[in-house]
């Protein structure tokens, strides 16, 4: 029975434009947490100011560092970092050079095929994210997602969400400036607006109250769906 359901949905899915955007699974809840390799983070020289626009200085410090949010020109690449002076050994002796030390990288992809159908402006999907180890659990993700909505973006949730991401979505769903909508990306329809999500302190303690659940473990023997969450500014 489950196999026939999956085959039917896969046939319908392949006819849609979504398979060109690699959106093939539902929003699985994955056990544990996830960290993308910090090797994607880097140091950039002061020349980066020519290519990376300053969006704003963050209104708080982390590890006593004054942080900046920058965006690559004509791109959906964002970086948070701080400026630090390093001593560089050269033939002429020790020289000082300023570097922008990245602590967070965020790469977004525009989802134009869904924008008009669902009615969201600047709908984006997170392609990649990495945070420097000693800057995790300090509120950077909450700040970044809220800032993106202030910049006019709506954020489509991933098909895989680990414990930390579910905690983030749960927290953001209760924020007075934001709303999270439940959407069916296969049939391009909004199922419910401004929902409240719950993710407790235990991995398995997440909300299963929806008829078509937003989160479910991949190995659970239940119907497949294409339900996602969209974070947007409160209307």
């Amino acid at each position: 029975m489950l196999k026939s359901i999956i085959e039917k949905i896969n046939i319908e899915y392949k006819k849609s434009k979504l398979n060109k955007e690699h959106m093939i699974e539902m929003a699985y809840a994955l056990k544990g947490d996830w960290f993308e390799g910090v090797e994607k983070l880097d140091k950039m020289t002061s020349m980066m100011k020519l290519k990376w626009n300053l969006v704003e200085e963050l209104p708080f410090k982390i590890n006593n560092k004054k942080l900046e949010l920058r965006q690559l020109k004509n791109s959906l690449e964002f970086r948070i970092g701080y400026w630090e002076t390093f001593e560089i050994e050269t033939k002429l002796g020790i020289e000082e050079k300023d570097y922008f030390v990245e602590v967070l990288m965020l790469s977004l992809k525009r989802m134009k095929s869904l924008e008009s159908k669902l009615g969201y402006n600047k709908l984006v999907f997170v392609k990649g994210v990495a945070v420097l180890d000693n800057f995790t659990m300090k509120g950077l993700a909450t700040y970044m997602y809220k800032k993106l909505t202030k910049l006019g973006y709506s954020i489509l949730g991933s098909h895989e969400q680990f414990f930390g991401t579910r905690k983030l979505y749960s927290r953001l769903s209760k924020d007075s400036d934001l709303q999270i909508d439940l959407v069916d990306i296969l049939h391009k329809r909004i199922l419910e607006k401004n929902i409240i999500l719950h993710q407790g302190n235990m991995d398995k303690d997440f909300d299963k109250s929806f008829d078509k659940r937003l989160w479910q473990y991949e190995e659970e023997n239940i119907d497949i769906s294409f339900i996602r969450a969209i974070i947007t500014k409160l209307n």
Side-chain angles (χ1 to χ4, degrees):
M1 179 64 179
L2 180 62
K3 184 177 180 181
S4 64
I5 292 173
I6 295 174
E7 289 176 348
K8 182 179 179 181
I9 290 178
N10 282 339
I11 291 172
E12 187 174 358
Y13 167 73
K14 288 176 181 178
K15 295 178 182 178
S16 75
K17 292 182 179 179
L18 289 176
N19 72 323
K20 296 179 181 178
E21 296 177 338
H22 310 292
M23 304 293 292
I24 60 174
E25 291 95 356
M26 62 171 299
Y28 287 120
L30 300 186
K31 297 174 181 177
D33 218 328
W34 172 90
F35 298 94
E36 187 162 339
V38 294
E39 67 273 4
K40 294 192 176 184
L41 298 170
D42 202 356
K43 295 194 294 288
M44 292 187 280
T45 67
S46 56
M47 291 293 291
M48 64 92 66
K49 293 181 180 179
L50 300 176
K51 295 183 178 180
W52 292 78
N53 291 327
L54 175 64
V55 178
E56 72 171 11
E57 294 181 353
L58 271 64
F60 55 90
K61 291 183 178 181
I62 297 179
N63 301 337
N64 205 32
K65 302 295 185 181
K66 189 176 181 180
L67 300 169
E68 293 180 355
L69 170 62
R70 289 185 173 267
Q71 181 179 5
L72 184 64
K73 292 180 180 179
N74 303 314
S75 172
L76 290 175
E77 294 285 334
F78 293 86
R79 299 292 187 273
I80 292 177
Y82 60 90
W83 291 98
E84 187 164 317
T85 301
F86 290 85
E87 291 185 343
I88 308 297
E89 186 175 351
T90 71
K91 292 180 179 179
L92 301 177
I94 301 297
E95 296 182 2
E96 292 186 345
K97 196 167 187 177
D98 293 333
Y99 282 91
F100 184 78
V101 182
E102 298 178 0
V103 302
L104 178 145
M105 64 81 70
L106 184 70
S107 300
L108 304 176
K109 179 181 180 179
R110 189 84 174 263
M111 305 298 295
K112 291 185 178 181
S113 68
L114 286 174
E115 284 182 359
S116 59
K117 295 289 185 179
L118 292 174
Y120 294 92
N121 293 323
K122 296 169 71 173
L123 183 63
V124 295
F125 175 76
V126 177
K127 288 197 307 180
V129 60
V131 183
L132 203 61
D133 288 347
N134 59 336
F135 284 82
T136 60
M137 308 298 290
K138 302 290 180 65
L140 279 180
T142 299
Y143 160 80
M144 193 69 236
Y145 275 61
K146 291 188 69 173
K147 185 62 185 178
L148 287 173
T149 63
K150 290 179 181 178
L151 293 173
Y153 295 100
S154 297
I155 306 156
L156 178 67
S158 172
H159 69 280
E160 295 178 340
Q161 294 193 320
F162 286 86
F163 173 71
T165 306
R166 299 198 304 272
K167 287 283 283 185
L168 173 65
Y169 272 62
S170 174
R171 183 164 58 253
L172 294 177
S173 74
K174 303 174 182 69
D175 192 289
S176 58
D177 295 325
L178 303 175
Q179 73 179 46
I180 290 185
D181 299 338
L182 203 65
V183 301
D184 179 341
I185 64 170
L186 180 61
H187 300 97
K188 300 180 178 66
R189 60 185 178 180
I190 299 173
L191 301 177
E192 190 173 347
K193 286 198 168 190
N194 203 16
I195 63 173
I196 300 296
L197 296 172
H198 170 73
Q199 172 63 61
N201 292 326
M202 300 295 291
D203 197 314
K204 63 182 179 181
D205 181 17
F206 54 83
D207 193 354
K208 297 183 179 180
S209 63
F210 298 110
D211 291 336
K212 293 184 176 181
R213 291 179 285 177
L214 174 62
W215 295 324
Q216 59 193 33
Y217 287 134
E218 189 171 4
E219 67 268 21
E220 292 185 31
N221 187 23
I222 53 183
D223 287 356
I224 298 297
S225 61
F226 290 82
I227 311 305
R228 302 288 177 85
I230 289 182
I231 302 172
T232 190
K233 194 173 181 181
L234 185 64
N235 295 326

